[in-house]
Amino acid sequence: MQLQVYFGPNSEDFVGIINTTDDSWSVVSTNVGPHPLKEAKKFFGIAATVGSMIYFGPYDADCVGRIDATDDTWACFPTNNATGGSKYMGGVLSASN
């Protein structure tokens, strides 16, 4: 089993990933897709994980970041009504029926 630790980008332009099996480091760019990120303080940590999806709460970014841990693909979804800086600091996962 391969275990990886993901690091949310704040001032960097990528998600950092460390493979705990061999301590190798890799990155996934956040400057791809329809919402490339140019903000200085993009996200504030990791908000939640759902299955293989890891979500990043927006700090200055105008989107919620998501990386799929199965293939390390990045996506960012607009936060249309949440604008300005210092939007959120974290998040919580909630389940409902």
Side-chain angles (χ1 to χ4, degrees):
M1 173 191 285
Q2 179 175 322
L3 297 176
Q4 298 185 128
V5 179
Y6 288 77
F7 298 89
N10 187 273
S11 297
E12 294 291 347
D13 291 330
F14 53 81
V15 174
I17 306 167
I18 190 162
N19 180 324
T20 62
T21 304
D22 62 6
D23 293 331
S24 60
W25 176 259
S26 61
V27 297
V28 174
S29 176
T30 60
N31 287 326
V32 296
H35 305 287
L37 302 175
K38 302 296 181 190
E39 296 85 355
K41 296 181 180 177
K42 298 166 185 64
F43 302 99
F44 194 87
I46 294 175
T49 59
V50 180
S52 66
M53 301 297 181
I54 302 168
Y55 292 87
F56 301 85
Y59 189 71
D60 284 347
D62 289 327
C63 61
V64 172
R66 184 192 75 195
I67 192 166
D68 185 337
T70 60
D71 60 6
D72 292 336
T73 53
W74 172 260
C76 213
F77 306 96
T79 57
N80 298 326
N81 297 324
T83 59
S86 306
K87 292 176 197 64
Y88 303 100
M89 294 179 77
V92 64
L93 178 63
S94 172
S96 62
N97 292 334

